[in-house]
Amino acid sequence: MKKIIYFLMITVFVSSCEQPEVGYISDNIHSLQDNIDVPRGVFITSPPPASEGSTYPLEWKITSITDKDGKVTTELQEEHDILTWLKPFDPNTDTTLELAMKKLEISKQPSILMNPVSGQFAFTQATRMVVNDDFDVNVNVKNVRGERQLDKFTHIKLRPFKQVEFPTEMRSRLQLGKGAGVWDIGSTYTVLNDNDPEVPKVLNGTSRYITIKKVSDEPKQAIKVKMIIADSYGVALDPSKVLFYPDGASYLQNYHDNSIGVVNDAEGSTFGLPAPPFPQYGRTYSSGTNSYLMYYLTTDDAFTVDKVAYEADNGLKNWSAYIDPSTGEIRNRAYIRWGVKINDTGTWEIKMKIPYTKKK
């Protein structure tokens, strides 16, 4: 009996000296995007991969990249000179070009980066210098439990450089007034997003109400954007007739409050930034597509309503509810909502015509 007890004691002692397994690493770690579409020349990031319960912290790295023929390539990892923001632009403090320029530098960067902690990819403006379009990225991930080599982790497809993007809805709207601050929608022209069939017309100058065009390659590094608000025949308003949109004690987001060195002339306002994209920042909406929402109104004496053109397109209308008894004219104003992002340098013109209006 003593021998049996002695054996059991030795077994328990040896077992207590064995180290328990530490951590867990899944065999199913994977990218949430099998294919990542990357527009050239724009900084974007991917979502973090799915770790499937693996123990943190995880350590990620790119092991190699292959082209469409399966050959190893360093094209995405070659460094190029690009202009980058060291800190976000803030119109509250970066009130002059000199102050804003302190947040910029030209540095050598690759087209692809991988965050070693989160596993996210970042694609830089250097993608504009990449010739080929298709790549597979192979990565390695490890933790206290071990490591996994994940070949063909995701596929990268480089798309053409987009000088202009439409992240959110734009509206050119005629409002009709009933008095006492009550406004009805008279007519609205919209551009919903990048997939809207109106986008090509906006960019080639054939849109009925909104056009966006580059008018000069200067400045080479910075960007200037001139906003013109006009009647439906293209006659521009004096900028004094274009107002901020009231929002309680302040105003909805506008280009004036999110740029540097606003210059007015007889037909519009020109906004500046030391580097694209424009707008770079949203004072009200700090991130996401809402950064590009910019609102304005016009004074109620900027236009007269073109009833003939309106009824030719929409049929007869009873205008009596909108007649101002003191003037006999139709109360009206424009509601303006921009939702555009310009990624290129140089000087641009964004022009919005308001439906069924004539400048007074």
Side-chain angles (χ1 to χ4, degrees):
M1 176 64 71
K2 288 182 178 180
K3 290 182 178 179
I4 294 174
I5 293 173
Y6 181 68
F7 174 75
L8 290 173
M9 290 176 66
I10 292 174
T11 302
V12 171
F13 176 76
V14 172
S15 297
S16 67
C17 290
E18 291 179 358
Q19 293 296 319
E21 291 185 355
V22 177
Y24 167 73
I25 186 164
S26 173
D27 291 324
N28 190 35
I29 298 174
H30 61 276
S31 172
L32 292 179
Q33 290 180 291
D34 292 334
N35 297 279
I36 304 177
D37 279 353
V38 179
R40 280 178 166 86
V42 178
F43 184 89
I44 64 169
T45 59
S46 71
S51 60
E52 299 296 339
S54 299
T55 303
Y56 287 93
L58 296 170
E59 184 179 336
W60 297 85
K61 68 176 181 179
I62 296 172
T63 54
S64 64
I65 299 174
T66 56
D67 62 18
K68 63 180 179 180
D69 298 319
K71 297 179 180 179
V72 174
T73 176
T74 60
E75 193 173 6
L76 288 179
Q77 295 160 305
E78 293 169 0
E79 295 184 341
H80 302 276
D81 286 337
I82 61 172
L83 188 64
T84 57
W85 289 92
L86 301 175
K87 296 179 181 179
F89 171 75
D90 184 347
N92 294 304
T93 57
D94 304 331
T95 53
T96 67
L97 185 61
E98 290 72 24
L99 288 171
M101 289 292 289
K102 293 179 180 179
K103 293 185 173 182
L104 289 163
E105 75 169 4
I106 295 177
S107 62
K108 287 189 175 295
Q109 298 292 337
S111 296
I112 188 172
L113 301 165
M114 190 175 202
N115 188 311
V117 177
S118 70
Q120 291 174 273
F121 293 114
F123 299 91
T124 74
Q125 296 91 326
T127 50
R128 285 189 73 176
M129 275 67 88
V130 176
V131 176
N132 292 303
D133 298 329
D134 293 274
F135 303 90
D136 286 310
V137 182
N138 308 310
V139 307
N140 180 274
V141 58
K142 64 182 180 180
N143 64 5
V144 294
R145 181 64 177 156
E147 63 183 280
R148 297 283 185 268
Q149 176 62 30
L150 307 173
D151 291 333
K152 293 189 176 179
F153 183 66
T154 194
H155 180 79
I156 309 299
K157 178 69 175 180
L158 294 186
R159 301 295 183 182
F161 174 56
K162 279 190 173 182
Q163 291 179 296
V164 183
E165 294 180 84
F166 301 86
T168 192
E169 182 181 351
M170 293 196 295
R171 298 174 189 157
S172 171
R173 175 176 291 170
L174 169 66
Q175 292 184 324
L176 301 174
K178 289 184 173 180
V182 178
W183 297 90
D184 288 346
I185 296 174
S187 181
T188 304
Y189 170 80
T190 63
V191 179
L192 296 177
N193 51 43
D194 280 318
N195 299 316
D196 194 303
E198 288 295 301
V199 165
K201 299 177 185 177
V202 171
L203 296 177
N204 67 22
T206 61
S207 166
R208 187 172 180 180
Y209 293 115
I210 298 176
T211 57
I212 298 172
K213 63 181 180 180
K214 188 174 187 177
V215 295
S216 172
D217 289 330
E218 296 293 338
K220 293 292 185 182
Q221 294 285 1
I223 182 169
K224 292 183 178 180
V225 178
K226 183 173 185 178
M227 179 182 74
I228 299 173
I229 306 301
D231 69 13
S232 58
Y233 295 91
V235 181
L237 290 183
D238 186 286
S240 64
K241 300 291 185 180
V242 181
L243 310 174
F244 296 167
Y245 197 121
D247 181 26
S250 61
Y251 299 96
L252 291 181
Q253 184 159 275
N254 57 78
Y255 290 135
H256 287 74
D257 286 343
N258 293 291
S259 57
I260 298 172
V262 180
V263 177
N264 293 324
D265 60 26
E267 62 175 13
S269 299
T270 300
F271 312 102
L273 283 172
F278 175 88
Q280 170 66 222
Y281 179 89
R283 189 186 297 265
T284 306
Y285 308 111
S286 60
S287 64
T289 57
N290 285 342
S291 295
Y292 312 110
L293 282 172
M294 300 287 168
Y295 294 88
Y296 293 92
L297 298 170
T298 61
T299 59
D300 56 12
D301 63 349
F303 302 115
T304 58
V305 175
D306 189 344
K307 293 192 294 182
V308 174
Y310 183 97
E311 293 183 348
D313 289 343
N314 303 285
L316 295 176
K317 182 177 181 64
N318 182 355
W319 300 95
S320 59
Y322 309 112
I323 299 296
D324 183 341
S326 63
T327 64
E329 295 183 349
I330 299 170
R331 303 183 190 92
N332 74 91
R333 70 179 183 185
Y335 162 96
I336 296 151
R337 172 173 151 159
W338 293 104
V340 62
K341 176 185 175 185
I342 301 176
N343 296 315
D344 205 2
T345 56
T347 300
W348 292 75
E349 177 189 284
I350 58 175
K351 185 173 184 177
M352 182 180 291
K353 295 186 283 188
I354 308 305
Y356 307 114
T357 58
K358 291 182 178 180
K359 178 183 174 181
K360 275 193 172 181

XYZ file of all heavy atoms in Angstrom, residues 232-298:
520
model
N -31.137 79.904 -62.598
C -31.226 78.728 -63.467
C -30.684 78.990 -64.868
O -30.499 78.050 -65.650
C -32.674 78.237 -63.564
O -33.529 79.251 -64.056
N -30.378 80.247 -65.179
C -29.794 80.597 -66.478
C -28.280 80.789 -66.378
O -27.628 81.167 -67.357
C -30.468 81.861 -67.028
C -31.935 81.636 -67.342
C -32.903 81.891 -66.385
C -32.339 81.131 -68.583
C -34.249 81.663 -66.652
C -33.681 80.908 -68.861
C -34.635 81.166 -67.885
O -35.972 80.931 -68.154
N -27.734 80.577 -65.174
C -26.280 80.663 -64.997
C -25.769 82.021 -64.606
O -24.545 82.216 -64.535
N -26.649 82.978 -64.329
C -26.214 84.312 -63.920
C -25.878 84.273 -62.435
O -26.729 83.945 -61.595
C -27.302 85.361 -64.195
C -26.809 86.749 -63.784
C -27.707 85.336 -65.661
N -24.627 84.594 -62.103
C -24.127 84.432 -60.743
C -24.672 85.496 -59.803
O -24.859 86.652 -60.183
C -22.608 84.469 -60.743
N -24.885 85.092 -58.540
C -25.262 86.023 -57.487
C -24.027 86.685 -56.902
O -22.944 86.102 -56.883
C -25.976 85.286 -56.354
C -27.370 84.737 -56.574
C -27.872 84.122 -55.266
C -28.323 85.830 -57.037
N -24.205 87.885 -56.374
C -23.182 88.481 -55.530
C -23.095 87.638 -54.254
O -24.120 87.222 -53.704
C -23.570 89.917 -55.175
C -22.464 90.630 -54.424
O -22.271 90.317 -53.233
O -21.796 91.491 -55.022
N -21.887 87.334 -53.769
C -21.755 86.497 -52.568
C -22.503 87.027 -51.345
O -22.813 86.250 -50.433
C -20.241 86.481 -52.313
C -19.625 86.772 -53.623
C -20.570 87.694 -54.326
N -22.793 88.308 -51.311
C -23.529 88.865 -50.172
C -24.954 88.318 -50.099
O -25.603 88.415 -49.044
C -23.570 90.394 -50.262
O -24.290 90.812 -51.417
N -25.447 87.740 -51.193
C -26.781 87.160 -51.226
C -26.793 85.700 -50.772
O -27.857 85.073 -50.704
C -27.366 87.259 -52.644
C -27.501 88.671 -53.190
C -28.564 89.470 -52.455
C -28.769 90.835 -53.088
N -29.816 91.639 -52.387
N -25.619 85.147 -50.488
C -25.495 83.747 -50.061
C -25.182 83.739 -48.569
O -24.181 84.313 -48.127
C -24.394 83.020 -50.851
C -24.293 81.561 -50.415
C -24.674 83.112 -52.350
N -26.049 83.084 -47.789
C -25.997 83.159 -46.330
C -25.658 81.802 -45.711
O -25.931 80.747 -46.296
C -27.355 83.616 -45.782
C -27.979 84.870 -46.395
C -29.378 85.085 -45.824
C -27.095 86.090 -46.132
N -25.111 81.833 -44.480
C -24.973 80.611 -43.693
C -26.362 80.134 -43.266
O -27.287 80.931 -43.120
C -24.134 80.856 -42.448
C -22.703 81.255 -42.731
C -21.914 81.769 -41.723
C -22.149 81.110 -43.996
C -20.599 82.127 -41.957
C -20.836 81.471 -44.245
C -20.058 81.984 -43.225
N -26.490 78.840 -43.056
C -27.766 78.243 -42.662
C -27.860 78.254 -41.131
O -27.098 77.574 -40.459
C -27.838 76.807 -43.185
C -29.225 76.206 -43.210
C -29.781 75.757 -44.395
C -29.971 76.055 -42.039
C -31.044 75.193 -44.427
C -31.225 75.504 -42.053
C -31.770 75.061 -43.244
O -33.022 74.501 -43.263
N -28.807 79.006 -40.549
C -28.895 79.105 -39.090
C -29.184 77.752 -38.437
O -29.952 76.930 -38.960
C -30.068 80.077 -38.874
C -30.196 80.822 -40.156
C -29.803 79.854 -41.228
N -28.544 77.514 -37.299
C -28.765 76.292 -36.523
C -28.693 76.676 -35.050
O -27.636 76.605 -34.425
C -27.706 75.240 -36.860
C -27.907 73.950 -36.085
O -29.056 73.652 -35.693
O -26.909 73.222 -35.863
N -29.821 77.102 -34.501
C -29.831 77.610 -33.136
C -29.028 78.889 -33.051
O -29.240 79.827 -33.815
N -28.053 78.886 -32.127
C -27.226 80.081 -31.941
C -26.044 80.114 -32.886
O -25.293 81.092 -32.903
C -26.734 80.136 -30.495
N -25.856 79.065 -33.688
C -24.724 79.037 -34.616
C -25.236 78.743 -36.028
O -26.368 79.113 -36.362
C -23.697 77.990 -34.174
O -24.273 76.698 -34.163
N -24.415 78.085 -36.826
C -24.778 77.797 -38.214
C -24.400 76.370 -38.568
O -23.494 75.770 -37.969
C -24.047 78.755 -39.166
C -24.376 80.213 -38.936
C -23.552 81.014 -38.151
C -25.513 80.774 -39.496
C -23.857 82.344 -37.927
C -25.824 82.112 -39.275
C -24.997 82.890 -38.496
O -25.316 84.206 -38.269
N -25.110 75.827 -39.549
C -24.705 74.538 -40.082
C -23.346 74.677 -40.771
O -22.922 75.775 -41.130
C -25.746 74.013 -41.077
C -27.103 73.578 -40.499
C -28.003 73.067 -41.610
C -26.935 72.511 -39.427
N -22.719 73.560 -40.959
C -21.366 73.538 -41.513
C -21.315 74.203 -42.894
O -22.221 74.009 -43.715
C -20.911 72.095 -41.617
C -19.497 71.909 -42.077
C -18.998 70.551 -41.664
O -18.541 70.400 -40.549
N -19.079 69.581 -42.545
N -20.254 74.964 -43.145
C -20.100 75.664 -44.412
C -18.622 75.758 -44.766
O -17.749 75.586 -43.912
C -20.732 77.056 -44.339
C -20.141 77.874 -43.205
O -19.035 78.408 -43.327
N -20.854 77.960 -42.082
N -18.335 76.021 -46.030
C -16.951 76.103 -46.495
C -16.187 77.264 -45.856
O -14.984 77.168 -45.611
C -16.909 76.259 -48.011
C -17.326 75.041 -48.781
C -18.195 75.147 -49.866
C -16.846 73.774 -48.456
C -18.575 74.031 -50.591
C -17.217 72.647 -49.181
C -18.093 72.784 -50.251
O -18.460 71.683 -50.971
N -16.884 78.361 -45.600
C -16.214 79.527 -45.029
C -15.518 79.194 -43.712
O -14.405 79.672 -43.441
C -17.227 80.658 -44.779
C -17.718 81.339 -46.015
N -18.611 80.748 -46.885
C -17.440 82.566 -46.545
C -18.878 81.575 -47.884
N -18.174 82.696 -47.704
N -16.174 78.390 -42.893
C -15.639 78.065 -41.571
C -14.642 76.908 -41.594
O -14.122 76.539 -40.542
C -16.782 77.692 -40.624
C -17.581 78.911 -40.189
O -17.074 80.031 -40.345
O -18.715 78.738 -39.702
N -14.408 76.320 -42.752
C -13.552 75.136 -42.827
C -12.440 75.282 -43.867
O -11.990 74.292 -44.446
C -14.398 73.903 -43.142
C -15.333 73.562 -42.000
O -14.907 73.144 -40.934
N -16.623 73.770 -42.206
N -12.011 76.513 -44.100
C -10.948 76.757 -45.072
C -10.147 77.980 -44.631
O -10.401 78.558 -43.579
C -11.527 76.952 -46.478
O -12.458 78.009 -46.502
N -9.189 78.371 -45.453
C -8.263 79.465 -45.109
C -8.344 80.549 -46.184
O -8.355 80.247 -47.378
C -6.815 78.955 -45.020
C -6.679 77.916 -43.916
C -5.839 80.102 -44.768
C -5.342 77.232 -43.894
N -8.384 81.791 -45.754
C -8.238 82.908 -46.675
C -9.344 83.022 -47.700
O -9.103 82.980 -48.906
N -10.601 83.145 -47.249
C -11.734 83.270 -48.170
C -11.663 84.610 -48.902
O -11.482 85.660 -48.293
C -13.066 83.163 -47.413
C -14.246 83.284 -48.383
C -13.144 81.846 -46.649
N -11.810 84.549 -50.233
C -11.761 85.752 -51.068
C -13.064 85.849 -51.862
O -13.451 84.899 -52.555
C -10.561 85.717 -52.036
C -10.582 86.942 -52.950
C -9.254 85.636 -51.264
N -13.750 86.984 -51.756
C -14.986 87.217 -52.499
C -14.732 88.132 -53.680
O -13.919 89.055 -53.612
C -16.042 87.866 -51.599
C -16.524 86.949 -50.494
O -16.645 85.739 -50.690
N -16.794 87.517 -49.334
N -15.432 87.839 -54.786
C -15.462 88.777 -55.906
C -16.914 88.960 -56.318
O -17.826 88.585 -55.569
C -14.578 88.309 -57.061
C -14.983 86.952 -57.627
O -16.180 86.586 -57.514
O -14.118 86.253 -58.195
N -17.165 89.508 -57.486
C -18.531 89.855 -57.878
C -19.428 88.644 -58.090
O -20.658 88.767 -58.026
C -18.503 90.696 -59.156
N -18.842 87.463 -58.313
C -19.680 86.311 -58.638
C -19.525 85.108 -57.711
O -20.226 84.106 -57.894
C -19.404 85.840 -60.074
C -17.991 85.379 -60.307
C -17.802 84.800 -61.704
O -18.704 84.983 -62.542
O -16.767 84.164 -61.944
N -18.629 85.166 -56.730
C -18.496 83.997 -55.879
C -17.452 84.146 -54.797
O -16.821 85.196 -54.643
N -17.296 83.065 -54.028
C -16.326 83.009 -52.931
C -15.300 81.924 -53.228
O -15.663 80.818 -53.638
C -17.033 82.685 -51.609
O -17.977 83.677 -51.277
N -14.015 82.245 -53.018
C -12.941 81.285 -53.249
C -12.350 80.872 -51.916
O -11.978 81.707 -51.091
C -11.849 81.880 -54.148
O -12.427 82.232 -55.414
C -10.731 80.870 -54.374
N -12.259 79.545 -51.715
C -11.763 78.964 -50.472
C -10.411 78.318 -50.735
O -10.156 77.816 -51.819
C -12.742 77.925 -49.937
C -14.163 78.399 -49.909
C -15.068 77.994 -50.886
C -14.591 79.279 -48.935
C -16.383 78.440 -50.874
C -15.896 79.734 -48.912
C -16.797 79.317 -49.889
N -9.547 78.304 -49.711
C -8.209 77.757 -49.889
C -7.820 76.777 -48.806
O -8.262 76.871 -47.660
N -6.972 75.814 -49.184
C -6.333 74.890 -48.255
C -4.917 74.631 -48.761
O -4.691 74.625 -49.979
C -7.092 73.573 -48.154
C -8.386 73.551 -47.325
C -9.101 72.226 -47.499
C -8.086 73.809 -45.858
N -3.961 74.386 -47.873
C -2.585 74.157 -48.328
C -2.364 72.799 -48.983
O -1.308 72.557 -49.557
C -1.770 74.288 -47.036
C -2.722 73.947 -45.955
C -4.051 74.437 -46.411
N -3.347 71.915 -48.885
C -3.246 70.600 -49.531
C -4.635 69.998 -49.620
O -5.490 70.264 -48.765
C -2.324 69.672 -48.739
N -4.907 69.192 -50.658
C -6.188 68.500 -50.710
C -6.205 67.367 -49.689
O -5.163 67.032 -49.127
C -6.233 67.968 -52.148
C -4.805 67.843 -52.557
C -4.060 68.911 -51.819
N -7.359 66.751 -49.410
C -8.626 66.955 -50.104
C -9.363 68.207 -49.612
O -9.042 68.756 -48.553
C -9.413 65.696 -49.759
C -8.928 65.331 -48.397
C -7.458 65.643 -48.417
N -10.322 68.624 -50.410
C -11.204 69.728 -50.047
C -12.631 69.184 -49.961
O -13.095 68.578 -50.926
C -11.135 70.839 -51.100
C -12.110 71.964 -50.843
C -11.760 73.039 -50.045
C -13.382 71.933 -51.398
C -12.661 74.065 -49.802
C -14.284 72.964 -51.165
C -13.917 74.031 -50.366
N -13.349 69.402 -48.864
C -12.848 69.978 -47.627
C -11.975 68.985 -46.860
O -12.168 67.774 -46.946
C -14.125 70.291 -46.854
C -15.128 69.315 -47.365
C -14.796 69.099 -48.801
N -11.023 69.514 -46.117
C -10.110 68.687 -45.332
C -10.716 68.342 -43.975
O -10.380 67.324 -43.375
C -8.791 69.436 -45.141
C -7.828 68.844 -44.169
C -7.275 67.509 -44.607
O -7.158 66.597 -43.798
N -6.948 67.370 -45.882
N -11.627 69.156 -43.509
C -12.089 69.053 -42.129
C -13.552 69.461 -42.067
O -14.041 70.202 -42.929
C -11.242 69.995 -41.253
C -11.599 70.039 -39.787
C -11.019 69.166 -38.886
C -12.512 70.968 -39.305
C -11.330 69.208 -37.527
C -12.830 71.029 -37.950
C -12.236 70.147 -37.067
O -12.544 70.193 -35.743
N -14.257 68.955 -41.064
C -15.616 69.387 -40.804
C -15.732 69.903 -39.393
O -15.559 69.154 -38.448
N -15.993 71.178 -39.227
C -16.096 71.752 -37.877
C -17.254 71.126 -37.114
O -17.177 70.876 -35.912
C -16.296 73.263 -37.988
C -16.207 73.993 -36.660
C -16.559 75.458 -36.844
N -15.619 76.129 -37.725
C -14.562 76.821 -37.321
N -14.302 76.911 -36.043
N -13.777 77.420 -38.181
N -18.359 70.866 -37.823
C -19.532 70.277 -37.174
C -19.487 68.757 -37.220
O -19.717 68.086 -36.219
C -20.825 70.764 -37.855
O -20.823 72.186 -37.881
C -22.045 70.279 -37.097
N -19.189 68.201 -38.392
C -19.109 66.759 -38.553
C -17.635 66.406 -38.728
O -17.036 66.701 -39.744
C -19.881 66.311 -39.786
C -21.304 66.813 -39.828
C -21.704 67.759 -40.756
C -22.241 66.339 -38.924
C -23.014 68.216 -40.799
C -23.551 66.797 -38.960
C -23.933 67.728 -39.901
O -25.212 68.177 -39.940
N -17.040 65.752 -37.721
C -15.588 65.602 -37.700
C -15.069 64.411 -38.487
O -13.873 64.305 -38.715
C -15.110 65.476 -36.249
O -15.696 64.343 -35.634
N -15.938 63.487 -38.878
C -15.434 62.318 -39.591
C -16.514 61.745 -40.484
O -17.681 62.109 -40.409
C -14.956 61.242 -38.602
O -16.046 60.779 -37.828
N -16.086 60.796 -41.350
C -17.048 60.128 -42.208
C -17.567 61.005 -43.320
O -17.088 62.109 -43.574
N -18.592 60.511 -44.016
C -19.133 61.237 -45.162
C -19.720 62.580 -44.760
O -19.759 63.504 -45.562
C -20.216 60.401 -45.870
O -21.248 60.056 -44.923
C -19.640 59.124 -46.429
N -20.158 62.731 -43.517
C -20.746 63.989 -43.087
C -19.764 65.144 -43.106
O -20.162 66.301 -43.060
C -21.338 63.844 -41.677
C -22.642 63.081 -41.681
O -23.265 62.942 -42.718
N -23.041 62.577 -40.538
N -18.473 64.853 -43.155
C -17.478 65.930 -43.236
C -17.686 66.788 -44.475
O -17.263 67.937 -44.511
C -16.066 65.336 -43.290
O -15.760 64.668 -42.107
N -18.330 66.251 -45.477
C -18.439 66.950 -46.757
C -19.798 67.619 -46.943
O -20.072 68.168 -48.002
C -18.150 65.961 -47.894
C -16.890 65.192 -47.595
C -16.922 63.855 -47.270
C -15.666 65.857 -47.537
C -15.766 63.180 -46.937
C -14.502 65.194 -47.206
C -14.556 63.852 -46.905
O -13.406 63.182 -46.556
N -20.635 67.596 -45.907
C -21.911 68.302 -45.986
C -21.697 69.776 -45.669
O -21.245 70.127 -44.585
C -22.911 67.713 -44.982
C -23.572 66.401 -45.380
C -24.370 65.846 -44.210
C -24.478 66.606 -46.571
N -22.041 70.634 -46.625
C -21.882 72.077 -46.443
C -23.175 72.766 -46.896
O -23.677 72.490 -47.994
C -20.698 72.590 -47.265
C -19.366 71.953 -46.902
S -18.718 72.539 -45.325
C -17.393 71.344 -45.050
N -23.688 73.643 -46.036
C -25.019 74.211 -46.242
C -24.984 75.735 -46.413
O -24.220 76.416 -45.732
C -25.905 73.910 -45.034
C -26.217 72.453 -44.816
C -25.376 71.654 -44.054
C -27.376 71.878 -45.349
C -25.679 70.316 -43.812
C -27.688 70.557 -45.120
C -26.836 69.775 -44.350
O -27.140 68.464 -44.128
N -25.893 76.209 -47.286
C -26.106 77.648 -47.434
C -27.564 77.904 -47.781
O -28.293 77.007 -48.231
C -25.228 78.233 -48.549
C -23.743 78.219 -48.262
C -22.946 77.159 -48.660
C -23.136 79.283 -47.585
C -21.584 77.134 -48.388
C -21.779 79.270 -47.309
C -21.010 78.194 -47.712
O -19.651 78.175 -47.446
N -27.980 79.137 -47.586
C -29.255 79.660 -48.067
C -28.963 80.919 -48.872
O -27.851 81.452 -48.816
C -30.182 80.024 -46.903
C -30.624 78.908 -45.964
C -31.336 79.500 -44.744
C -31.534 77.921 -46.683
N -29.971 81.403 -49.607
C -29.850 82.734 -50.198
C -30.855 83.659 -49.523
O -31.816 83.219 -48.881
C -30.116 82.723 -51.716
O -31.454 82.272 -51.961
C -29.125 81.823 -52.428
